[in-house]
C-alpha cells in the first residue's frame, strides 16, 4: 500500500514545536507523505514569538500550483493563514480539493 499524501498549509516555526514542522512530524508518525504550502515564517522559540513574516499571496498560490501539479492529495491540514489575501488564495484551492472529496482539517492559529 502506498503512503497517503497530506498537504500541510501553515506557518513555519523556527524551533520546530508547532506549525508545518510539527505537522510533518505527525504525518511521518502515521507513515504519510507530507507536502507543504508555507504561509508565513516565524522567529520563535518555546518562550515566544519575536517576529512573523507573511508570504506574499502570490507565493502561496505558486506553492499550491506546483504541489498540486505533481501530487494527488489524500487530505489537507490547514493552520496559520495570517491575512485576508492568504485566506482568499487558500479558500480557492480548498474549494477545488473539496470538489474532489479530499478531506480538509482546519486548525486555525489565533495566538502563539
Amino acid at each position: 500500500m502506498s503512503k497517503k499524501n497530506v498537504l500541510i498549509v501553515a506557518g513555519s516555526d523556527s524551533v520546530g514545536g508547532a506549525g508545518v514542522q510539527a505537522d510533518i512530524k505527525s504525518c511521518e508518525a502515521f507513515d504519510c507523505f507530507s507536502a507543504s504550502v508555507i504561509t508565513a515564517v516565524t522567529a520563535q522559540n518555546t518562550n515566544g514569538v519575536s517576529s512573523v513574516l507573511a508570504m506574499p499571496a502570490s507565493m502561496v498560490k505558486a506553492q499550491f500550483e506546483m504541489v498540486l501539479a505533481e501530487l494527488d492529495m489524500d487530505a489537507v491540514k490547514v493552520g496559520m493563514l495570517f491575512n485576508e489575501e492568504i485566506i482568499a488564495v487558500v479558500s480557492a484551492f480548498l474549494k477545488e480539493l473539496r470538489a474532489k472529496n479530499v478531506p480538509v482539517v482546519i486548525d486555525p492559529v489565533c495566538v502563539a
Side-chain angles (χ1 to χ4, degrees):
M1 185 164 124
S2 64
K3 288 187 175 193
K4 300 286 185 182
N5 293 327
V6 178
L7 178 58
I8 300 164
V9 182
S12 175
D13 171 4
S14 52
V15 79
V20 70
Q21 289 87 340
D23 291 337
I24 289 170
K25 292 174 191 175
S26 295
C27 287
E28 287 177 352
F30 289 94
D31 201 32
C32 295
F33 176 79
S34 301
S36 61
V37 170
I38 305 298
T39 59
V41 177
T42 67
Q44 72 182 74
N45 61 28
T46 58
N47 296 311
V49 178
S50 67
S51 185
V52 180
L53 176 65
M55 291 293 104
S58 60
M59 176 55 111
V60 173
K61 182 177 187 241
Q63 290 176 80
F64 266 109
E65 290 171 346
M66 294 303 290
V67 169
L68 297 178
E70 185 167 337
L71 300 173
D72 291 324
M73 290 299 138
D74 296 299
V76 180
K77 196 286 191 165
V78 179
M80 182 170 76
L81 297 181
F82 194 81
N83 62 33
E84 290 181 36
E85 293 82 11
I86 292 172
I87 291 169
V89 169
V90 172
S91 177
F93 281 98
L94 291 182
K95 285 178 186 173
E96 289 180 28
L97 291 164
R98 290 297 298 144
K100 297 176 184 177
N101 294 315
V102 176
V104 176
V105 173
I106 305 290
D107 182 20
V109 174
C110 297
V111 177

